[in-house]
Amino acid sequence: MEPTAARGSLAGLLGIWGVTRAALLLCVLKVVVFPGPDVTSDVSVIYRGWYDVLVTGTFPQDDVTWQYPPAAALAVLSPAVLPFLEYATAFFVLALVSDAAALALLLRGARGTGRSRRGAWLWVAAVPLLGPTVYARYDVMVTAVAVAALLAAGRHPRLAGALMAFGALLKVWPALLLLAVRGRVTWVSAAVTGVAVAGLFAVLMPGAFAFLGFQRDRGTEVESLGSLVFHVARHHGWDGEVLLNYGSVEFLGPYVSWVSTGALFLTGAALAWLVLWRLLATRFAPHTAADAAFTAVLLFTVTSRVISPQYMVWLVGTAAVCLCFRESRMGRPAALVLAACPVTMLEFPVWFGHVVASDALGITLLTIRNGLLVAASLLAARALWRATVPARREIPSAAGPSWAERTTVPS
């Protein structure tokens, strides 16, 4: 009975994936018109424009909207592998393939003792709740790489390190996964891969690191946690404005730089907390790397000056890896991220006009979505600390065996 039930569950999961992904494709291909602004213009206009520059052998050095590390060029150029399709259509198909690859990895990660398909179910459920934006950005491709890296961390540390470095060169954030892993092998592999790939781009394509200056100058985006200050301030006489700036809709005006600096300070504090955790943590289980990675990505997303809708794909992917382990402590934070997905779709693209206008509906949506993410971050950090860092009363005396000797689980 159990194998039959398992096959039925898998068939149901794959069926739901097929139906929901067909719906997403119909939306991005504009067979079905999704409410709100056109989310596909980033691919058909911006990505396509970058493609035309990248094929000449250089990065878009004079375009401030290019704010991505050098390997992002591979994602933008990827539609070339489907030359029989128009650029945007090819990109959407490759996004679907990346989505399928992530699901396949999560199903593989669910095999074995102590594993679960909860992660695969989370992925299947959460992605369509974010709407067509998922297929209209290259973040789903990066997330598939990050999922592969985390699932490889236990048994294939060299491969995990290489994937983490490659992911970081696609969109920076997968570098956070390194904070979650032990073992020198993973770090060495990441360093070698990162230097080799970055060096290759630097030699072959001018402007590989121009993105650093463009990223540095970003302000406070209208969907970020810090933006709530200005959404409310607009109702009390603040004379700033909302403009398209550095490729996103941002607040410009008095005190914006203060809030942006505050966000950077919070990001620094999050990094300091993660380093402290890494120094004090002594109890490691097979799921600890995934739990720590999810926590790190949550903390950096919440404290960022920008929380674009596609950032939610990162959180869903890392949360899904956590739920592949039955003993993971991230069930409640993952549930909060899942709850934040439909709210994210409502604030962008469905009612983005209300967000830009800072009206009651827009502020309410942002408060709920960002509040869910803040709660998830705090719960995840608390659970990770309690599970891995010994309380003072648990620290053994100098005469006894070390804590690591008594509690560390081999990876």
Side-chain angles (χ1 to χ4, degrees):
M1 292 294 292
E2 289 185 5
T4 302
R7 286 194 294 271
S9 174
L10 178 59
L13 184 147
L14 295 177
I16 294 172
W17 183 89
V19 170
T20 55
R21 275 41 179 195
L24 289 179
L25 272 182
L26 290 174
C27 290
V28 293
L29 293 174
K30 299 182 181 178
V31 176
V32 174
V33 178
F34 202 79
D38 179 12
V39 300
T40 67
S41 61
D42 275 34
V43 175
S44 59
V45 178
I46 299 175
Y47 286 16
R48 181 54 202 256
W50 290 338
Y51 176 91
D52 291 338
V53 175
L54 291 167
V55 293
T56 67
T58 185
F59 285 90
Q61 301 178 64
D62 299 322
D63 185 350
V64 296
T65 62
W66 177 263
Q67 299 175 10
Y68 308 105
L74 300 178
V76 175
L77 292 169
S78 63
V81 304
L82 301 174
F84 49 87
L85 293 175
E86 184 269 334
Y87 179 88
T89 302
F91 185 91
F92 301 145
V93 170
L94 292 174
L96 172 68
V97 171
S98 300
D99 180 357
L103 176 60
L105 288 165
L106 291 166
L107 287 172
R108 182 177 178 82
R111 298 176 184 173
T113 304
R115 299 299 182 98
S116 170
R117 284 183 183 162
R118 292 183 305 159
W121 277 107
L122 176 67
W123 180 259
V124 169
V127 167
L129 291 177
L130 290 169
T133 305
V134 175
Y135 282 7
R137 306 291 187 271
Y138 81 91
D139 296 80
V140 67
M141 302 175 183
V142 183
T143 301
V145 173
V147 167
L150 280 176
L151 289 172
R155 296 183 179 180
H156 307 286
R158 287 186 179 84
L159 175 61
L163 288 170
M164 289 174 187
F166 180 67
L169 289 170
L170 280 169
K171 204 166 185 181
V172 181
W173 71 265
L176 296 171
L177 308 186
L178 283 166
L179 293 171
V181 298
R182 295 179 297 161
R184 190 175 302 170
V185 172
T186 304
W187 280 83
V188 170
S189 175
V192 171
T193 302
V195 170
V197 175
L200 190 64
F201 275 107
V203 170
L204 296 180
M205 297 181 68
F209 297 98
F211 78 98
L212 293 172
F214 302 153
Q215 186 66 241
R216 179 194 61 213
D217 296 331
R218 295 195 75 162
T220 296
E221 189 253 354
V222 295
E223 298 163 278
S224 65
L225 182 62
S227 74
L228 286 169
V229 174
F230 299 111
H231 282 296
V232 174
R234 292 176 81 182
H235 293 273
H236 296 84
W238 181 70
D239 59 355
E241 55 187 345
V242 175
L243 293 174
L244 183 64
N245 189 52
Y246 288 96
S248 64
V249 182
E250 299 180 353
F251 280 110
L252 298 176
Y255 311 112
V256 171
S257 62
W258 292 16
V259 172
S260 297
T261 301
L264 291 174
F265 174 81
L266 288 176
T267 299
L271 177 61
W273 183 89
L274 288 164
V275 171
L276 178 64
W277 165 79
R278 190 63 189 81
L279 292 173
L280 298 180
T282 57
R283 294 181 290 201
F284 290 88
H287 58 82
T288 302
D291 288 359
F294 176 48
T295 302
V297 177
L298 263 173
L299 289 172
F300 274 76
T301 299
V302 167
T303 60
S304 174
R305 293 171 293 173
V306 179
I307 306 181
S308 296
Q310 61 267 27
Y311 291 14
M312 295 295 297
V313 184
W314 316 346
L315 300 177
V316 170
T318 50
V321 176
C322 294
L323 297 189
C324 286
F325 299 90
R326 293 188 184 277
E327 299 300 319
S328 171
R329 306 297 184 93
M330 296 297 143
R332 287 192 294 170
L336 291 173
V337 167
L338 177 62
C341 289
V343 185
T344 299
M345 181 178 63
L346 289 176
E347 64 91 357
F348 185 91
V350 177
W351 287 323
F352 190 60
H354 294 277
V355 172
V356 173
S358 301
D359 65 18
L361 177 58
I363 293 174
T364 299
L365 288 171
L366 282 182
T367 300
I368 294 172
R369 196 281 302 271
N370 291 346
L372 287 168
L373 294 184
V374 169
S377 301
L378 296 175
L379 284 175
R382 181 172 178 264
L384 178 67
W385 188 276
R386 286 190 166 188
T388 57
V389 177
R392 286 189 177 184
R393 63 179 179 275
E394 297 174 333
I395 299 176
S397 65
S402 71
W403 182 264
E405 291 172 337
R406 293 189 289 113
T407 61
T408 300
V409 177
S411 60

